[in-house]
Amino acid sequence: MSRFNVRKVAVLGAGVMGAQIAAHLVNCKVPVVLFDLPAKEGPKNGIVTKAVENLKKLKPAPLGVAEDAALIQQANYEEHLEVLRGCDLIIEAIAERLDWKEDLYKKIAPFVNDNAILATNTSGLSITAMANVLPEQLRSRFLGIHFFNPPRYMALLELIPTEYTKPEVVDQLEAFSTSAVGKSVIRAYDTPNFIANRVGVAGMLLTFREVERSGLGYDVVDDLTGKKLGRASSATFRTADVVGLDTMAHVIKTLQNGAKDDPFNGAFETPAALTTLIEKGFLGQKTKQGFFKKEGKTILQFNAATGEYGAAGGKADEEVSKILKKPAAERLKALRESSHPHAQFVWAILRNAFHYAAVTLESIAETARDVDFAMRWGFGAKQGPFELWQEAGWKQVAEWVKADIDEGKALSKAPLPAWVFDGRDGVHTAEGSWAPKLGKYVPVRNLPVYERQYFRENVLGSNAPSAATAGKTLFEDAAIRLWTLDDEVVIASIKSKMHTISAEVTSGLTKGLELAEAGYKGLVIWSQDGPFSAGADLQSMMPAFMQGGGKAIAPFEKQLQDFMLSLRYSNVPTVAAMHGLALGGGCELAVHAAKRVAAMETYVGLVEVGVGLIPGGGGLAYLARRAAELLEPSKGVSGQVGGELMGFLKEGFQAAAMAKVGTSAIESRKFGYLIDGDIIVPHKDEVLHVAIAQAKAMYESGYRAPAKKLIPVAGRSVKATLQSSLINMRDGGFISQHDYYISSCIADVLTGGDVDAGTLVSEEYLHALERKHFCTLLDNPKTQERIMGMLSTGKPVRN
């Protein structure tokens, strides 16, 4: 299949979703033009301009960096329809009104080029109904595209073709959405609310019903149905507040009206509490009150009976919390057999999820895998309903659900489908996932774009390849696995929790570099699950520290620093393949590699201040070196160097002193943790492929490590200037005296210590300064309070 070449995307409609879709396309470096109606007063692009400006204020931020809002081309339907001729993908995202959409399609049809794809972003309207109002020449290139809100952060994208849509059009859009936009794609049938909202919103409504039955408070329900259940931390009612209660009501209405033959339709009545809140104008997060609201630091919850807010903070009973930690089979058995109302409530919502998924599967999705992926990617669940059912014991759970249906405990009398009881042990197998309409197991769709994902997300029971055992192992111990997929590039995968860096991990990485230099084309540092690295393993340092204090840690720090330099000056290319968190030592590991390949949602920063320390693995030496590299070569080494370096050092100093973390790979580049030659990859599962390709390309191009150079430093005068910038913050109570002291240590390293401006120093010299301050801080009681607080609670202590 040839690559779908998208030169520019047009987004029609500058509402909440349209503007954020445009923002995410900009994040992915896809040229985009955002359209809306001409403004009645002022500049004709006024509506779009206001929407683009609003993007800079939204939280969570739809843009990687706010200034990239300027990259969104602004347009209106009166003056700029000719622009559409140069757009290869047009995404319509106006209000959910079929008549409005029909009018817009008539207006744009003459300007859509012969190869462009037209897609409608809708959460539930019939795609076929929209296709029927299109000019015939556009129907074969038209389909539904359902982004989830917020588009930047939600992985799921549903594609909904009609009977008219050419198969190659769907393939092209899936490939583009996956690789260029970073989405995880499923294909849905053209049924009300498609897959994710059909199952997810139905699940929320069925939970509402069980809440009414049980009388539990919203606070307790959210505690029970969030992380304890392997779901998003926003759980049930907080999720509704975030989505928006008016949006929630709209999707519910679509389900009520469009799925009248749904066996659970009788349970889909709009909850009275939701109706009351909407009538009061309490629409959730957007109006700062919904099921919950915050007054100061106090969280309150709505009382439907009184129409007022009252205290929240109720938690799940400890007995039930313990049950929820058990293995799946034990957990479901204990919940079903317990008489505790919290346990009975949880069993009821799980039973309803199994029941609903089974009876609707054939009508809404091709396979059970699509349902499970929809709930994972669209609703933040660790497992979909079929995965949990299969893990807990398919046959036993089926009998329990059937018994509840027969006894009238379920919310629908609809029996489970016959295929549930045909002797199977589940719906996911190595052959594929169950497709009831086809009566067989169907494997994952294998488009060429998925060759870029060596380890695609998979479902329980699929026996898909795992990075933990894939390829050929070159060395493995408790800290690290060194392996290769192709006998050309060594891959180093850290195995510690959160991929923290201990002395054992450093030794393993050193071994990996030695192996790469001895007979391979490069080294890629990558781990499949979790963060790139959350930093140093403080816990592993404790025994040595308890025996010898800060001085006992110095050898470990030097071992780490020496490895960082060997990584930088390796004879083979080294690539950090990053996703998730890259903090502290993880950031230092990344910046010393020859190149970084980072997923869009990679969060990078030097955060050691939070535990009362300074970066000790070469991070500050890196910032000092980068400042010198950015200094114009023509400046030379003179008395002016200190002032010139100040401009480059200031942002790095502030980032380290304030523990700033880049909230995207794009912002991390702004902070200097990624540089212009590094690559940002929209889809996290493509990072390893791109990193290996980069290592090979660098090797084949005759890669040589950079030459070692002495570094001109800013000296004592700039150090004083940096320190003075913090005095007002300290004296104003914004930072503590200990924060000020730590920041002074950071300034000392960044500027080279007590030397003249322009003094040439080595990286080893800067590393020695780092070690000195790092070990001295370890002996400081204030730092020790911060470390112990972090180890015991996971939260920073401000002292």
Side-chain angles (χ1 to χ4, degrees):
M1 182 181 71
S2 60
R3 182 178 177 184
F4 177 42
N5 183 25
V6 177
R7 295 165 296 170
K8 182 179 286 188
V9 177
V11 178
L12 311 182
V16 173
M17 282 300 290
Q20 291 199 59
I21 291 168
H24 184 60
L25 290 166
V26 163
N27 292 335
C28 299
K29 299 295 179 274
V30 177
V32 62
V33 53
L34 181 61
F35 277 84
D36 211 303
L37 294 166
K40 293 179 180 178
E41 297 179 358
K44 290 287 180 70
N45 285 340
I47 294 173
V48 176
T49 301
K50 183 177 179 181
V52 170
E53 286 302 307
N54 191 50
L55 289 171
K56 302 175 185 179
K57 306 170 189 174
L58 290 177
K59 299 293 180 183
L63 289 158
V65 288
E67 50 264 40
D68 278 357
L71 299 178
I72 299 174
Q73 183 181 345
Q74 301 180 22
N76 65 79
Y77 303 127
E78 184 178 302
E79 299 176 306
H80 305 115
L81 288 179
E82 283 288 340
V83 174
L84 291 176
R85 297 189 192 278
C87 297
D88 300 296
L89 173 62
I90 300 169
I91 300 172
E92 171 269 302
I94 68 171
E96 301 274 54
R97 284 274 301 270
L98 188 59
D99 55 339
W100 292 1
K101 291 175 186 285
E102 181 177 359
D103 289 344
L104 181 58
Y105 295 160
K106 288 177 180 176
K107 184 179 294 184
I108 67 169
F111 302 93
V112 178
N113 77 59
D114 292 341
N115 297 307
I117 294 174
L118 174 62
T120 176
N121 182 71
T122 175
S123 60
L125 290 181
S126 168
I127 309 301
T128 301
M130 285 184 257
N132 286 333
V133 305
L134 281 171
E136 192 169 341
Q137 75 273 17
L138 270 177
R139 289 180 190 170
S140 64
R141 293 178 279 128
F142 176 77
L143 72 168
I145 185 169
H146 182 204
F147 285 85
F148 275 67
N149 192 21
R152 171 183 160 187
Y153 300 95
M154 297 303 291
L156 180 62
L157 182 79
E158 292 177 314
L159 295 182
I160 311 97
T162 72
E163 61 181 291
Y164 311 115
T165 314
K166 291 179 181 176
E168 58 266 31
V169 165
V170 192
D171 289 350
Q172 287 174 335
L173 191 52
E174 180 168 346
F176 172 76
S177 301
T178 300
S179 197
V181 190
K183 292 300 161 193
S184 298
V185 177
I186 60 174
R187 299 187 187 186
Y189 293 152
D190 187 14
T191 55
N193 290 346
F194 314 129
I195 299 175
N197 276 346
R198 179 69 171 271
V199 176
V201 173
M204 293 179 77
L205 281 170
L206 300 182
T207 299
F208 278 122
R209 295 286 88 85
E210 297 296 347
V211 170
E212 292 167 358
R213 284 183 173 188
S214 68
L216 298 179
Y218 305 140
D219 49 0
V220 173
V221 170
D222 272 9
D223 192 49
L224 283 166
T225 60
K227 288 188 175 180
K228 287 184 173 68
L229 215 57
R231 297 180 178 180
S233 57
S234 54
T236 302
F237 293 102
R238 177 63 183 146
T239 293
D241 279 348
V242 171
V243 169
L245 303 191
D246 52 344
T247 301
M248 182 82 181
H250 170 77
V251 178
I252 290 171
K253 189 65 68 178
T254 303
L255 192 58
Q256 291 167 344
N257 296 337
K260 293 186 182 298
D261 57 348
D262 190 302
F264 283 75
N265 192 273
F268 292 162
E269 182 182 349
T270 304
L274 180 63
T275 300
T276 301
L277 285 164
I278 292 172
E279 288 173 350
K280 288 177 173 287
F282 301 164
L283 305 180
Q285 185 171 275
K286 68 181 79 173
T287 60
K288 303 191 185 304
Q289 54 189 352
F291 286 104
F292 297 100
K293 78 170 182 177
K294 191 173 184 181
E295 289 187 352
K297 294 185 177 181
T298 303
I299 303 295
L300 304 176
Q301 64 181 328
F302 186 68
N303 185 317
T306 65
E308 304 293 333
Y309 284 88
K315 298 290 184 182
D317 188 89
E318 186 59 31
E319 172 192 333
V320 179
S321 294
K322 288 179 180 177
I323 290 175
L324 294 176
K325 295 177 182 178
K326 294 177 180 289
E330 293 179 44
R331 185 190 327 149
L332 267 60
K333 184 176 187 293
L335 288 170
R336 188 169 190 272
E337 293 177 354
S338 173
S339 59
H340 196 290
H342 291 187
Q344 285 294 297
F345 170 77
V346 174
W347 163 251
I349 63 171
L350 291 176
R351 175 204 63 219
N352 293 340
F354 302 147
H355 189 187
Y356 190 77
V359 299
T360 57
L361 174 58
E362 183 172 349
S363 64
I364 66 171
E366 181 183 49
T367 72
R369 178 178 52 248
D370 295 321
V371 171
D372 282 343
F373 277 160
M375 298 314 295
R376 274 209 233 160
W377 297 334
F379 283 81
K382 287 185 178 179
Q383 288 180 305
F386 290 116
E387 288 181 289
L388 176 57
W389 184 349
Q390 184 165 326
E391 184 184 11
W394 183 270
K395 293 173 183 175
Q396 179 61 79
V397 173
E399 291 298 334
W400 286 337
V401 175
K402 180 180 184 301
D404 279 13
I405 296 170
D406 293 345
E407 293 168 19
K409 294 179 180 179
L411 292 176
S412 170
K413 296 179 181 179
L416 291 171
W419 56 261
V420 171
F421 299 101
D422 63 5
R424 68 180 57 243
D425 292 315
V427 290
H428 302 308
T429 69
E431 183 184 349
S433 292
W434 182 246
K437 189 174 286 188
L438 300 174
K440 65 179 183 179
Y441 293 99
V442 174
V444 292
R445 189 171 292 102
N446 208 16
L447 297 177
V449 69
Y450 293 117
E451 294 173 6
R452 297 170 60 84
Q453 298 181 13
Y454 293 139
F455 303 99
R456 291 172 68 177
E457 280 201 53
N458 57 81
V459 287
L460 181 80
S462 64
N463 295 329
S466 167
T469 55
K472 180 171 73 177
T473 299
L474 306 174
F475 171 82
E476 186 168 14
D477 61 13
I480 202 164
R481 180 179 182 232
L482 306 174
W483 56 291
T484 181
L485 276 172
D486 55 11
D487 285 323
E488 294 189 90
V489 173
V490 176
I491 304 167
S493 295
I494 301 171
K495 294 167 61 177
S496 57
K497 184 178 180 182
M498 298 289 284
H499 304 145
T500 53
I501 302 170
S502 62
E504 292 75 21
V505 168
T506 305
S507 294
L509 289 168
T510 301
K511 188 173 186 67
L513 191 56
E514 291 170 352
L515 283 169
E517 290 183 323
Y520 292 85
K521 293 182 178 180
L523 172 72
V524 168
I525 303 171
W526 173 85
S527 297
Q528 180 177 18
D529 299 315
F532 175 72
S533 173
D537 185 350
L538 295 175
Q539 192 77 52
S540 70
M541 295 183 186
M542 293 307 292
F545 175 75
M546 296 302 290
Q547 285 189 346
K551 288 184 179 179
I553 303 302
F556 298 108
E557 282 301 293
K558 189 169 190 312
Q559 177 196 18
L560 179 62
Q561 291 173 331
D562 288 348
F563 169 72
M564 295 300 183
L565 290 182
S566 65
L567 189 68
R568 170 167 167 74
Y569 295 109
S570 169
N571 288 328
V572 294
T574 57
V575 182
M578 307 161 68
H579 57 83
L581 301 176
L583 304 179
C587 171
E588 292 170 314
L589 184 60
V591 298
H592 282 87
K595 178 160 282 197
R596 286 138 296 280
V597 173
M600 180 71 68
E601 298 307 322
T602 304
Y603 308 101
V604 191
L606 297 170
V607 296
E608 287 83 354
V609 169
V611 289
L613 294 168
I614 68 166
L620 298 180
Y622 162 78
L623 290 175
R625 173 171 59 78
R626 280 295 294 157
E629 289 169 348
L630 292 168
L631 185 64
E632 292 179 14
S634 60
K635 297 292 182 185
V637 178
S638 69
Q640 299 300 311
V641 167
E644 296 290 343
L645 282 172
M646 177 67 184
F648 298 109
L649 284 175
K650 187 175 181 181
E651 189 156 15
F653 169 70
Q654 290 177 340
M658 305 304 292
K660 288 183 180 179
V661 175
T663 56
S664 66
I666 301 170
E667 188 174 47
S668 297
R669 175 177 277 159
K670 181 180 176 183
F671 289 163
Y673 300 135
L674 274 72
I675 60 177
D676 287 344
D678 294 334
I679 296 174
I680 297 175
V681 179
H683 201 297
K684 67 178 179 61
D685 290 343
E686 293 188 1
V687 167
L688 179 60
H689 169 87
V690 176
I692 290 174
Q694 286 295 309
K696 290 180 181 178
M698 292 164 71
Y699 178 87
E700 297 296 344
S701 299
Y703 175 79
R704 297 293 299 173
K708 284 192 175 186
K709 295 180 180 179
L710 294 178
I711 300 166
V713 291
R716 62 178 72 85
S717 60
V718 171
K719 172 188 170 183
T721 303
L722 292 174
Q723 284 178 296
S724 66
S725 68
L726 294 168
I727 291 175
N728 288 339
M729 295 182 69
R730 180 196 63 191
D731 294 346
F734 297 104
I735 61 173
S736 68
Q737 176 61 33
H738 194 50
D739 289 324
Y740 175 76
Y741 173 57
I742 298 166
S743 299
S744 297
C745 294
I746 291 172
D748 190 57
V749 179
L750 284 177
T751 57
D754 189 19
V755 296
D756 294 332
T759 298
L760 295 175
V761 302
S762 66
E763 287 170 288
E764 288 83 357
Y765 168 86
L766 294 172
H767 283 181
L769 279 180
E770 279 188 355
R771 282 198 309 279
K772 179 187 79 172
H773 288 304
F774 186 91
C775 295
T776 300
L777 282 165
L778 276 172
D779 290 324
N780 190 300
K782 294 282 188 182
T783 288
Q784 291 169 14
E785 285 178 21
R786 292 192 183 190
I787 291 173
M788 295 311 296
M790 180 64 75
L791 290 177
S792 59
T793 68
K795 297 178 181 178
V797 174
R798 307 310 298 177
N799 58 1

